[in-house]
Amino acid sequence: ILMRHATAVDSHENTHDYARALTTHGRAEAQRQAAFLATQPCPSCIISSSALRTAETAAIIGSAFTQAFTLLLQPELYQASAEGYLPFLTSLPISMTGVLMIGHNPAISQLVDYLSDDNGVNLAPSGLCILQAPLALSWNELHRGSLRLQRQH
């Protein structure tokens, strides 16, 4: 599952972009997505940018799952390109059966396009895509078009 963070406060001169928090509306968006994701299989791992708005989104989403998962906050995902996101997926161990990655646009939407070979995905704040892999595919074999876009929510 690839997800864009929920709506954050506008950038101000006194606030560094990295420190932008979720708005009240953004928290509600994330809670709606958390309710939806609670109906899906729990991921083994949530990988999120460590920027405040993505970390807050990850915390809200994570609260919906009843099973244990690993949470990885990665500062390298902040301002990374889609190519910069990919190694965080391709280096996962086989034991990770499902992953939720929360990031920033345009990179997270571009990563959906790359992995599903489905051009034109532009995730709105708190938008997500569920991607499905063939059963025999391991994380280190991810490449352009290797996943199928199962659902956009």
Side-chain angles (χ1 to χ4, degrees), residues 32-100:
R32 280 191 297 277
Q33 289 293 43
F36 166 71
L37 288 170
T39 68
Q40 305 297 310
C42 181
S44 301
C45 182
I46 296 176
I47 304 170
S48 174
S49 162
S50 60
L52 183 57
R53 59 194 177 274
T54 47
E56 287 180 333
T57 301
I60 292 168
I61 296 297
S63 70
F65 297 116
T66 57
Q67 295 177 321
F69 59 88
T70 302
L71 174 61
L72 301 172
L73 297 177
Q74 300 293 341
E76 299 88 354
L77 292 178
Y78 177 68
Q79 296 187 333
S81 65
E83 293 80 19
Y85 280 52
L86 195 57
F88 288 95
L89 296 174
T90 59
S91 64
L92 289 170
I94 289 176
S95 61
M96 296 289 179
T97 56
V99 171
L100 168 60

Side-chain angles (χ1 to χ4, degrees), residues 2 26 39-41 73 112 122 135 142-143 149:
L2 299 179
T39 68
Q40 305 297 310
L73 297 177
V112 172
N122 186 20
L135 291 177
L142 288 177
H143 59 276
L149 179 57

Side-chain angles (χ1 to χ4, degrees), residues 110-152:
Q110 291 168 347
L111 186 58
V112 172
D113 286 347
Y114 175 81
L115 290 173
S116 67
D117 213 13
D118 186 335
N119 294 320
V121 171
N122 186 20
L123 292 170
S126 199
L128 63 85
C129 287
I130 299 174
L131 301 165
Q132 187 68 45
L135 291 177
L137 189 73
S138 64
W139 293 108
N140 65 352
E141 297 173 311
L142 288 177
H143 59 276
R144 176 178 287 286
S146 61
L147 304 179
R148 183 177 57 84
L149 179 57
Q150 183 179 358
R151 181 172 184 174
Q152 188 169 349

Side-chain angles (χ1 to χ4, degrees), residues 5-16:
H5 63 79
T7 301
V9 298
D10 289 334
S11 195
H12 298 274
E13 289 180 24
N14 298 335
T15 305
H16 187 275

